[in-house]
Amino acid sequence: MDIDFKDYQLRCELRGHEDDVRGICVCGSEAIATSSRDRTVRLWSLDSNRKFVSSKILLGHTSFVGPLAWIPPNSEFPLGGVVSGGMDTLVFVWDLKTGEKVHTLKGHQLQVTGIALDEGDVVSSSVDCTLRRWRNGQAVETWEAHKAPVQAVIKLPSGEFVTGSSDTTLKLWRGKTCIHTFEGHSDTVRGLSVMSGLGILSASHDGSLRLWAVSGEMLMEMVGHTAIVYSVDSHASGLIVSGSEDRFAKVWKDGVCVQSIEHPGCVWDTKFMENGDIVTACSDGVVRVWTVDQNNVAEQLELDLYTSELNQYKSSRKRVGGLKLEELPGLEALKIPGTTDGQTKVVREGDNGVAYGWNMREQKWDKIGEVVDGPEESNRQLFDGIQYDHVFDVDIGDGMPIRKLPYNRSDNPYDIADKWLLKENLPLSFREQIVQFILQNTGQNNVTFDASFRDPYTGSHAYVPGQPSYLSDNSAKPTFKHIPKKGMLVFDAAQFDGILKKISEFNIALQSDQEKQNLSLTDLNVSRLGAIVKILKDTSHYHSSKFADSDIDLLLNLVRSWPISMIFPVIDIIRMIVLHPDGSILLHKRFEAENDILVEVIKKVTVNPTIPANLLTSIRAVTNLFRNSCYYNWLQKHRSEILDAFSSCSSSPNKNLQLSYSTLLLNYAVLLIESKDQEGQSQVLSAALELAEDENVEVDSKFRALVAVGSLMLEGLVRKIALDFDVLNIAKAAKGSKDAKIAEVGSDIELLTKQS
């Protein structure tokens, strides 16, 4: 089919974001807004030379920012506005004249994934499965749109809304009523767009794009991407553009891919400008504009630099003999003599790996030849949504159907054969045939595999020809280093002498203040506090020591009546009371009998401006409640308000607060896994991922957050949500950590992402 089409070329690169660019919003013909994992929204405007320059940076989100929508200029926003949604669950409305927030829309429980405008209203979608309508800064409607995370929302010219979800469907909404469900995709629907005059475009994790009539009929399927498709957009000319994890923005016309624009990273978002130019958002932190107008194409030097950047990126990911090309030594390595005759060394020469052998007699390195490169990631074959070096067609014979066998060259073929035979429900007697088939078709006949390799399904040693198999009856599960987390973590160390000293200081201050003398402790109460601390110090008698009801009443009265700046040492005593068997029971009775004193305290200490000492002691006190199962119902009942109240601790520069918050999340993960609370698990997962991806979080806090993520994923209820949260990239970043335990739990999570 002849298609009249001009190739897009680079117009310009917009640099300024410090991390992945996640979202794009075209603001008329003169500006572009972009969102990023760096927590900012940037506005890029055309200057007098018709060049895009950074004109505003909008600061306010506390985690990565995703969807954006443009408000055209009106009486309220003379220069227009932007609406942004983030991982922090918030929606912000920004005035582009001042660069300030006009409204903070708070109500979603999890990440905000989509934003659409309906006259003066804002409609937002979220991983919490809901749509919310906001008017003048207030929520006016909320409804559950899907039973799984809602990933996108758009408004049709007719006034209806369309949503896409992790449940693989699209839904058409008239008000709060679903009038049609579109079924056809086999995985998460990630991106949506209106195709003028035709219908609705959808982009999916299944690698495809689809065009739907509003009636529900699928008009066209576009297949060409080799990984998740994150975004799709259309232009009045009839062109379609899509962005994918496969690093390409693809341009489509009449259902045919007419151009693939390669990027040095994942393409998160793609948008058309009014003039037909394309804007792309890339994981390398760069916004790029592409054009077919020869008058606007970048200078040749800039084009050459981009080509060089692409080549450098591909070279950094190119593998030779199982090693990254960039990790190979240069020719200077040949200056070092070999140690044995025939010793081989692979060095980098240009963009290739070349093997040399040591000639002992002549004391020199002889060139053997170029090492065959392993397949590049973008050319690897896709099977069940995962890329492999090889996907073989296996004919078992005997009239049985052809089977697909995926394989990576770094895998142990015995392990792969055993797993594949079990998966395909085939006899283990085929094992040797499968292993030999793999070795012959990958050219690995001369490679020796470790006979002590342990099969992840059976726990047995790998089969080796000529040796017996040692199959065991162990559970067929892979093993992980740090997940799942079992049991609860508590803060059980206390400086009791320092606590009493601080209470004494505060009491003296109250006694000297005529207006507050009535709040001070009597000598009897001071003595009683000393006796309480003495019991807490004597841990060897916890099984037999008791508290009086009046002891608990004294502590709770102090928390209620003392000035807020003075209550933290009292909260610290309560933190330790929770760990005492008798004290914990007495305290629990007060929670049930009275107007919930602990919720009252949490609200009091988390109101701005917060006092770090209050935050630290109270979050640790709540964390210690997980030690005793009698508090589990209370912890689940107040889960949402507790996590919301202490959420500011995640971005605190105070490392102790970070660690306390990550411990609270980890304990909640263990509890909610046990109770199979999917909604609660989703909230904890979202908070833990936000903490795990923050580069400023210290090692122990990040480790506990990652363990929480891995444990929740292993349990299974929220694994798909985690994948939608881009957990794989977080795991890969953790794997690259210099800290061993962070790298290990990163590997655990990466392994989980590969399990179906």
Side-chain angles (χ1 to χ4, degrees), residues 296-433:
N296 285 332
V297 173
E299 298 290 336
Q300 190 59 47
L301 177 60
E302 192 171 353
L303 295 176
D304 291 342
L305 285 172
Y306 182 65
T307 301
S308 175
E309 186 179 357
L310 272 180
N311 290 336
Q312 185 177 355
Y313 177 86
K314 288 190 288 187
S315 175
S316 72
R317 302 177 71 81
K318 190 174 181 181
R319 304 186 78 85
V320 175
L323 298 172
K324 285 186 177 180
L325 182 63
E326 65 176 2
E327 294 175 353
L328 294 177
L331 288 170
E332 67 277 2
L334 300 179
K335 294 178 181 179
I336 303 172
T339 54
T340 58
D341 194 47
Q343 177 188 348
T344 58
K345 181 176 289 189
V346 180
V347 299
R348 178 174 179 171
E349 292 186 18
D351 289 333
N352 298 304
V354 179
Y356 285 82
W358 179 246
N359 186 325
M360 183 66 83
R361 190 173 71 176
E362 297 184 19
Q363 289 289 295
K364 68 170 188 173
W365 292 99
D366 292 332
K367 188 172 183 176
I368 298 172
E370 186 177 320
V371 178
V372 178
D373 299 338
E376 290 184 19
E377 183 177 81
S378 59
N379 293 327
R380 300 174 77 202
Q381 298 178 66
L382 201 67
F383 180 72
D384 282 349
I386 301 173
Q387 290 182 327
Y388 294 90
D389 293 340
H390 306 277
V391 179
F392 298 115
D393 288 326
V394 182
D395 185 1
I396 300 297
D398 297 326
M400 301 178 78
I402 299 293
R403 314 294 178 98
K404 295 288 185 182
L405 170 59
Y407 179 74
N408 287 319
R409 295 179 65 85
S410 58
D411 290 336
N412 187 308
Y414 296 104
D415 172 38
I416 295 301
D418 283 343
K419 288 197 292 185
W420 185 76
L421 289 168
L422 287 169
K423 175 178 178 288
E424 295 291 344
N425 198 26
L426 294 169
L428 289 177
S429 58
F430 283 132
R431 181 191 287 114
E432 183 57 14
Q433 289 174 256

Side-chain angles (χ1 to χ4, degrees), residues 270-556:
T270 50
K271 289 288 190 297
F272 278 107
M273 299 188 68
E274 291 178 1
N275 64 359
D277 283 3
I278 292 172
V279 188
T280 58
C282 186
S283 61
D284 67 349
V286 181
V287 182
R288 294 179 176 87
V289 184
W290 307 84
T291 187
V292 294
D293 185 349
Q294 289 299 311
N295 295 322
N296 285 332
V297 173
E299 298 290 336
Q300 190 59 47
L301 177 60
E302 192 171 353
L303 295 176
D304 291 342
L305 285 172
Y306 182 65
T307 301
S308 175
E309 186 179 357
L310 272 180
N311 290 336
Q312 185 177 355
Y313 177 86
K314 288 190 288 187
S315 175
S316 72
R317 302 177 71 81
K318 190 174 181 181
R319 304 186 78 85
V320 175
L323 298 172
K324 285 186 177 180
L325 182 63
E326 65 176 2
E327 294 175 353
L328 294 177
L331 288 170
E332 67 277 2
L334 300 179
K335 294 178 181 179
I336 303 172
T339 54
T340 58
D341 194 47
Q343 177 188 348
T344 58
K345 181 176 289 189
V346 180
V347 299
R348 178 174 179 171
E349 292 186 18
D351 289 333
N352 298 304
V354 179
Y356 285 82
W358 179 246
N359 186 325
M360 183 66 83
R361 190 173 71 176
E362 297 184 19
Q363 289 289 295
K364 68 170 188 173
W365 292 99
D366 292 332
K367 188 172 183 176
I368 298 172
E370 186 177 320
V371 178
V372 178
D373 299 338
E376 290 184 19
E377 183 177 81
S378 59
N379 293 327
R380 300 174 77 202
Q381 298 178 66
L382 201 67
F383 180 72
D384 282 349
I386 301 173
Q387 290 182 327
Y388 294 90
D389 293 340
H390 306 277
V391 179
F392 298 115
D393 288 326
V394 182
D395 185 1
I396 300 297
D398 297 326
M400 301 178 78
I402 299 293
R403 314 294 178 98
K404 295 288 185 182
L405 170 59
Y407 179 74
N408 287 319
R409 295 179 65 85
S410 58
D411 290 336
N412 187 308
Y414 296 104
D415 172 38
I416 295 301
D418 283 343
K419 288 197 292 185
W420 185 76
L421 289 168
L422 287 169
K423 175 178 178 288
E424 295 291 344
N425 198 26
L426 294 169
L428 289 177
S429 58
F430 283 132
R431 181 191 287 114
E432 183 57 14
Q433 289 174 256
I434 298 301
V435 169
Q436 291 306 316
F437 176 89
I438 292 172
L439 296 178
Q440 290 169 14
N441 284 278
T442 59
Q444 294 178 293
N445 304 66
N446 298 323
V447 180
T448 301
F449 291 91
D450 186 3
S452 65
F453 183 84
R454 296 191 60 86
D455 185 289
Y457 280 96
T458 64
S460 69
H461 291 279
Y463 168 81
V464 178
Q467 292 185 5
S469 272
Y470 299 97
L471 296 177
S472 73
D473 295 324
N474 291 343
S475 176
K477 293 181 180 179
T479 56
F480 300 98
K481 186 82 173 180
H482 295 288
I483 58 175
K485 175 71 179 75
K486 299 294 184 183
M488 303 297 186
L489 298 176
V490 295
F491 295 96
D492 55 5
Q495 299 292 329
F496 288 112
D497 293 341
I499 291 171
L500 287 177
K501 182 179 179 183
K502 183 58 69 175
I503 289 176
S504 177
E505 288 177 9
F506 288 156
N507 195 51
I508 291 170
L510 290 172
Q511 289 172 341
S512 61
D513 186 333
Q514 289 187 351
E515 294 181 1
K516 298 178 181 177
Q517 280 181 350
N518 62 313
L519 300 178
S520 63
L521 291 165
T522 65
D523 290 343
L524 179 61
N525 285 340
V526 171
S527 175
R528 192 61 239 163
L529 282 176
I532 292 171
V533 165
K534 184 177 180 181
I535 293 173
L536 292 173
K537 279 184 173 181
D538 188 9
T539 56
S540 62
H541 289 89
Y542 267 28
H543 63 286
S544 58
S545 56
K546 302 286 184 182
F547 290 99
D549 286 336
S550 58
D551 295 338
I552 307 300
D553 292 336
L554 171 60
L555 293 169
L556 296 182

Side-chain angles (χ1 to χ4, degrees), residues 219-236:
L219 303 176
M220 185 186 301
E221 182 179 28
M222 289 157 276
V223 178
H225 284 293
T226 59
I228 292 170
V229 189
Y230 288 114
S231 60
V232 63
D233 195 25
S234 69
H235 188 255

Side-chain angles (χ1 to χ4, degrees), residues 579-686:
L579 300 179
H580 187 284
D582 183 62
S584 181
I585 292 170
L586 290 177
L587 198 60
H588 182 257
K589 288 179 180 177
R590 298 303 192 283
F591 289 178
E592 291 186 328
E594 301 179 22
N595 185 17
D596 207 322
I597 177 65
L598 190 52
V599 171
E600 182 185 320
V601 170
I602 291 171
K603 289 178 179 178
K604 183 188 292 189
V605 301
T606 55
V607 172
N608 281 325
T610 58
I611 298 170
N614 282 347
L615 273 179
L616 184 62
T617 52
S618 57
I619 193 173
R620 287 183 169 182
V622 173
T623 301
N624 282 3
L625 294 177
F626 288 86
R627 170 66 67 84
N628 197 318
S629 60
C630 69
Y631 290 100
Y632 285 0
N633 287 336
W634 184 90
L635 287 163
Q636 286 184 267
K637 177 183 176 183
H638 297 287
R639 176 254 311 158
S640 185
E641 53 193 314
I642 289 171
L643 293 178
D644 285 346
F646 290 117
S647 61
S648 64
C649 298
S650 66
S651 56
S652 170
N654 185 316
K655 292 182 178 180
N656 290 323
L657 276 176
Q658 287 180 11
L659 184 63
S660 301
Y661 181 62
S662 65
T663 309
L664 176 68
L665 293 178
L666 183 52
N667 282 355
Y668 256 121
V670 175
L671 175 60
L672 297 169
I673 287 169
E674 181 68 27
S675 62
K676 300 190 182 303
D677 179 349
Q678 184 171 2
E679 180 185 345
Q681 289 182 34
S682 298
Q683 185 182 9
V684 173
L685 176 72
S686 176

